[in-house]
Amino acid sequence: MKNKLILVFIFLSSTLIYAQKLKIKEGSFKNLKDIKEYSLIFDYSNLEIPKFDSEEDFLKDKMDKREEKEAGSGEEFKKSWFEDRENRYEPKFIESFNKRFEDNTVNVNKRENSRYTMVVKTTLMYAGYNVGVWRQNAKIEATITIFETDNADKILFSGDYTKVEGNGAMGYDFNSGYRISEAYAKLAKEFAKNLKKKGLK
C-alpha cells in the first residue's frame, strides 16, 4: 500500500500543469472583437530545443542514439519529428480552438482567403518523456500574431505564450508527438479563453 501511494504521488507531481503565461507585445484583444475567421499559418523556424544549440543538433543527437540500436530508426525519428507538425500539432490546435466557440461564431482554418491571418510561431519545443514511473510533460512556447491578410504590417495583436505544457491519456502518453500535440491543444484553449474574456465582450 505504501509503495502504491508513493507511485501515485510521483505521478501527480510529474503531471502538474503549470499556468500558461501571456505577455502582450503589440495590439490588444479588443482589436479582435469583430473578427469571425482567421487564416492560420504555423511557423517553426529558428526553433529552440532546451539543452541543444539548435534543432539540427537535437535531431543529430536523437538520430545517432537510435541508429546505434537499430539501423534506419534515426531517419524514422526525423521523419516523424517533422510530419507530426502537420499530422498532429496543427489539427490539434485547430480542433481545440474551434470547439471553444458555439455555432462556429469564431474559427481558424488553413485556407488562405480570410481577411485576417493568425500566425502561430513556435519558439521553443520540448518533447518531455515518459518511461513509466518517471515522466515529464512536453512544453512549447509560442508567439501568436494577428494581422490583416493584405496588410501584414498592420498588427492587431501579438503575444508570447510561455509554459504551455502537454500531457494526456491518464499518464500513458508514451508517444512524444502525442504529448506535444496536447501542448498545442492547451495553447489554443488558452488563447480562445483570453479572446472570449478580453476581446469579444
Side-chain angles (χ1 to χ4, degrees):
M1 182 65 181
K2 184 178 179 180
N3 289 337
K4 288 183 178 180
L5 289 175
I6 292 173
L7 291 176
V8 170
F9 174 78
I10 292 172
F11 170 73
L12 291 176
S13 298
S14 64
T15 56
L16 288 174
I17 303 299
Y18 297 95
Q20 297 90 346
K21 293 185 177 181
L22 166 64
K23 180 180 179 180
I24 296 178
K25 299 169 60 181
E26 189 172 348
S28 166
F29 280 104
K30 292 296 183 182
N31 293 337
L32 313 179
K33 182 177 180 179
D34 297 320
I35 301 176
K36 304 303 180 185
E37 182 180 71
Y38 301 90
S39 294
L40 193 56
I41 296 173
F42 291 89
D43 181 359
Y44 305 93
S45 61
N46 301 315
L47 187 63
E48 178 185 350
I49 309 291
K51 301 181 180 180
F52 292 90
D53 292 334
S54 66
E55 184 178 19
E56 289 74 19
D57 288 342
F58 163 79
L59 287 170
K60 184 178 186 308
D61 177 79
K62 299 304 178 185
M63 291 172 67
D64 288 347
K65 288 179 178 178
R66 283 164 173 76
E67 286 295 327
E68 289 177 1
K69 296 179 181 179
E70 182 181 354
S73 59
E75 283 298 328
E76 283 297 317
F77 173 81
K78 182 178 181 180
K79 181 181 178 182
S80 65
W81 176 257
F82 289 109
E83 287 184 348
D84 279 346
R85 296 175 178 182
E86 186 173 358
N87 295 338
R88 289 178 180 266
Y89 312 155
E90 297 171 16
K92 201 74 171 183
F93 182 96
I94 293 168
E95 176 190 16
S96 180
F97 181 92
N98 287 344
K99 77 178 183 181
R100 311 293 165 187
F101 298 92
E102 297 179 359
D103 300 324
N104 206 33
T105 52
V106 180
N107 76 90
V108 296
N109 58 71
K110 292 183 71 175
R111 296 190 295 271
E112 299 179 356
N113 58 350
S114 299
R115 182 178 176 184
Y116 299 94
T117 295
M118 179 188 300
V119 177
V120 179
K121 177 173 175 51
T122 305
T123 54
L124 179 146
M125 183 181 292
Y126 172 63
Y129 57 84
N130 189 337
V131 291
V133 174
W134 304 104
R135 65 173 308 286
Q136 194 168 68
N137 293 340
K139 181 174 72 174
I140 63 170
E141 297 186 353
T143 300
I144 294 180
T145 302
I146 295 171
F147 52 84
E148 291 186 1
T149 301
D150 293 335
N151 186 7
D153 292 331
K154 188 174 182 178
I155 295 176
L156 304 177
F157 173 89
S158 183
D160 294 333
Y161 281 88
T162 58
K163 297 185 178 181
V164 184
E165 299 195 16
N167 70 334
M170 300 298 290
Y172 292 93
D173 51 357
F174 299 106
N175 183 281
S176 62
Y178 174 81
R179 289 193 302 273
I180 295 171
S181 73
E182 288 299 307
Y184 279 92
K186 288 184 175 62
L187 173 64
K189 178 181 178 181
E190 186 70 10
F191 181 73
K193 182 177 74 173
N194 293 154
L195 180 58
K196 292 173 76 172
K197 182 179 180 180
K198 303 176 182 179
L200 300 184
K201 291 185 178 181

